[in-house]
Amino acid sequence: MSNTQELATATEARLETTASRLRELVSHLRQQRAQLREEWARLITEAKLLTAMTKEEIFAEATSVYDNYVEALETGTYEALQAYARNLSERVIPRGVETHEVVGIVLLLRDVLARSLFAKYREDFNKLNRILDAYEPAANRIAATVAVGFVQERERIIREQQEAIRELSTPVLQVRERLLILPIIGVIDPQRARQLTEQLLRGIRTNRAKVVVLDITGVPYIDSPVANHLVQTVEAARLLGAIVIVTGLSPEIAQTLVNIGVDLGKMNTVGDLQGGIEEAERLLGYKVVPVSETAAQPA
Amino acid sequence: MQVPILKQGAYLIATVQSALTDEDLKQLRDALVGQVSKVRARGVIVDVTALDVIDSFATRTLRDVAHMIRLRGAETVIVGIQPEVAFSMVKLGLTLAGVSTSLDLEEGLAYLNRKG
Amino acid sequence: MGSALIGDEIRVSIDCDAAIVTARQKGRALASQCGFPSTDLAVIATAISELARNIVRYAVHGEIILRLLDDNGKRGVEVVAVDEGPGIPDLALAMQDGYSTSGGLGLGLPGTRRLMDEFEIVSDFGKGTTVTVRRWKR
């Protein structure tokens, strides 16, 4: 009975001392703020980290990171630091700051602070050990929080950019009333194929198109699932009342289409884009008249 | 849900208003095929803008309507198939082969007028 | 499978034409609530329509069960079509395009497989058929 009680008291005491050690640590870091921050900024420049930023900018960020760092040590909560890390990443990623730089500066700060602790407690080795016991887990958790925040932000930005690029990669151009052109350049993967279909079908509806020229001159090859998808897109367009003319089929793509057994009666193909547009205009009832002929007509 | 059928000039126009059961589809087919010669229509437009699903049964019925009406001497055009619906139809393997389609009612009328 | 069920499942009893419409409307609403884009909503609703019609056509009575799934953050819709009908004597044949014993287009099962990402079928001749299909959000 008395044993258990003693044990509980000991645990409580240990918890309390961890807290009191962290308090001691925090007050030390606050006192030494100016000097340690300076030291850290110097090391960042020396290690050639954050080269995309000016000295003043590095110093300003270093101040914020320092204060957030100390606050996380003091409160044991990481939400504010997490929010700051995300915000920082949002600002520095467009300027080309890399993951290793952000991780690097946080690790440098950890080392700067640890060294100042060595200096302060070098006379009392036992105390130094106890202070480090309290400091290290917190410092590691801070480093992880900042690094993860940065990587997540980077991934979010990459996802957004991929989405934007994908949309740019299938432009729907209206060249005349009722006539759309979709010039496709580059490899069509399944995801791009799906997007192409959606944009083509929506484009038909919003532009009230009757003819669509799908130019695949810039597509090096397609595999059979994508070829099938293209054929289905042509058929879906017909259900909306539009005709799709495919132009610029390479010999390889022609081979793929023949291999999957495409019903060529359903595919309207013309050799090149120019020919495709002429065919489209014919279908739309436009008449192409040479300029000299119109000029020669009497007024 | 009965589909209203209007006569406009030489054409019959059926406008689907909401989701149709198989029974509704069969009724529509019988009504159109019955009326087309009664009113001596030259063309039939079925407007399916309101349908968010056209499955195999609906496709088969629409195809039957078009074929039966052709046998009775008139043209049929299906108008208003939504992009998402068209995509699902071809994925399922349905293409309404041999049936005319147009973007909407206006285009459908223009198509029938051109056919004379 | 490893995917967790989100929320309650929806059960629709399939015994007549009108129930086919109810089942696909409920499936579309569920998928819409899960944030599927409109193209996928039409695809899912069409697949449900085909599965429900198979029940009415061949088994007379059965059930469509609709569920939202979460597989490590990936969201999806699962549709299970259960009946206690005669079962399918030759599954391989039934999965062929153009095969139909009811005078339809014969696209029901193979077409549904093309519409969805995952497709499983279990049929005991004389006991009934269960078709499970899933579509994942991209």
Side-chain angles (χ1 to χ4, degrees), chain A residues 178 194 197 201-202 204-205 208-210 229 232-233 235-236 238-241 266, chain B residues 81-84 86-87 89-91 95-97 99 101-104 106-107 114:
Chain A
R178 302 283 151 112
R194 204 164 41 240
T197 307
L201 298 181
R202 293 227 174 94
I204 289 171
R205 208 156 176 85
R208 301 181 54 80
K210 287 201 73 129
H229 193 98
Q232 287 173 347
T233 303
E235 286 172 346
R238 192 195 75 85
L239 291 177
L240 300 193
K266 286 181 183 164
Chain B
I81 298 178
Q82 298 295 321
E84 300 83 25
F87 181 71
M89 287 169 74
V90 296
K91 275 268 154 204
T95 57
L96 271 177
V99 180
T101 48
S102 285
L103 190 69
D104 54 19
E106 190 187 328
E107 285 297 317
R114 269 200 310 278

Side-chain angles (χ1 to χ4, degrees), chain C residues 4-67:
Chain C
L5 177 67
I6 316 168
D8 295 331
E9 59 184 28
I10 298 171
R11 288 172 169 262
V12 185
S13 172
I14 305 292
D15 48 10
C16 62
D17 279 359
I20 301 174
V21 176
T22 309
R24 70 185 186 220
Q25 283 171 344
K26 291 204 163 154
R28 169 186 280 269
L30 188 72
S32 165
Q33 173 200 326
C34 176
F36 273 98
S38 60
T39 305
D40 287 9
L41 298 183
V43 162
I44 292 164
T46 307
I48 295 172
S49 203
E50 295 299 320
L51 292 175
R53 178 165 296 99
N54 264 349
I55 295 176
V56 175
R57 225 20 69 79
Y58 298 105
V60 184
H61 181 264
E63 205 173 26
I64 292 278
I65 305 159
L66 305 160
R67 300 179 177 126

Side-chain angles (χ1 to χ4, degrees), chain A residues 251-262:
Chain A
E252 291 79 13
I253 295 179
Q255 177 83 59
T256 308
L257 288 174
V258 170
N259 285 349
I260 63 168
V262 171

Side-chain angles (χ1 to χ4, degrees), chain B residues 37-90:
Chain B
S37 46
K38 208 185 289 168
V39 303
R40 310 190 58 191
R42 281 193 288 115
V44 172
I45 295 178
V46 184
D47 187 346
V48 296
T49 309
L51 290 184
D52 59 10
V53 168
I54 300 182
D55 64 6
S56 58
F57 185 82
T59 306
R60 181 156 62 107
T61 311
L62 290 173
R63 196 193 56 192
D64 290 353
V65 166
H67 290 174
M68 289 160 88
I69 284 173
R70 185 163 306 151
L71 290 174
R72 310 206 70 177
E75 270 290 316
T76 303
V77 54
I78 311 293
V79 306
I81 298 178
Q82 298 295 321
E84 300 83 25
V85 174
F87 181 71
S88 301
M89 287 169 74
V90 296

Side-chain angles (χ1 to χ4, degrees), chain C residues 67-128:
Chain C
R67 300 179 177 126
L68 282 186
L69 302 178
D70 185 316
D71 183 12
N72 287 316
K74 198 171 64 162
R75 293 292 189 91
V77 164
E78 180 176 84
V79 182
V80 186
V82 197
D83 69 56
E84 288 172 6
I88 301 170
D90 188 344
L91 266 185
L93 189 63
M95 289 310 295
Q96 267 174 30
D97 260 331
Y99 178 77
S100 169
T101 56
S102 72
L105 289 173
L107 288 164
L109 289 176
T112 305
R113 175 153 71 178
R114 277 196 295 274
L115 285 170
M116 304 297 271
D117 294 323
E118 289 171 30
F119 180 101
E120 288 151 29
I121 181 164
V122 180
S123 188
D124 281 335
F125 189 48
K127 280 189 183 157

Side-chain angles (χ1 to χ4, degrees), chain A residues 103-216:
Chain A
V103 175
I105 66 164
V106 180
L107 293 180
L108 274 181
L109 178 58
R110 191 191 61 174
D111 296 346
V112 167
L113 302 189
R115 284 189 181 223
S116 96
L117 296 176
F118 292 149
K120 183 174 160 76
Y121 298 108
R122 67 173 160 227
E123 305 298 336
D124 186 348
F125 189 69
N126 280 333
K127 177 138 199 206
L128 173 65
N129 261 337
R130 286 195 299 274
I131 291 274
L132 285 178
D133 281 347
Y135 171 68
E136 280 166 355
N140 288 338
R141 183 142 178 224
I142 289 171
T145 303
V146 173
V148 168
F150 183 85
V151 170
Q152 279 175 347
E153 181 61 23
R154 233 174 102 103
E155 281 172 357
R156 191 185 64 78
I157 289 175
I158 291 171
R159 267 198 307 276
E160 267 180 23
Q161 287 172 340
Q162 276 177 340
E163 198 54 41
I165 290 169
R166 235 176 266 129
E167 243 160 66
L168 283 175
S169 69
T170 28
V172 179
L173 313 170
Q174 181 169 27
V175 286
R176 267 178 196 283
E177 212 179 313
R178 302 283 151 112
L179 171 57
L180 295 181
I181 296 186
L182 270 83
I184 312 295
I185 294 169
V187 176
I188 309 177
D189 60 14
Q191 184 161 7
R192 195 172 171 207
R194 204 164 41 240
Q195 191 171 12
L196 186 148
T197 307
E198 278 181 27
Q199 278 180 272
L200 186 141
L201 298 181
R202 293 227 174 94
I204 289 171
R205 208 156 176 85
T206 46
N207 297 290
R208 301 181 54 80
K210 287 201 73 129
V211 184
V212 181
V213 179
L214 184 66
D215 180 55
I216 56 172

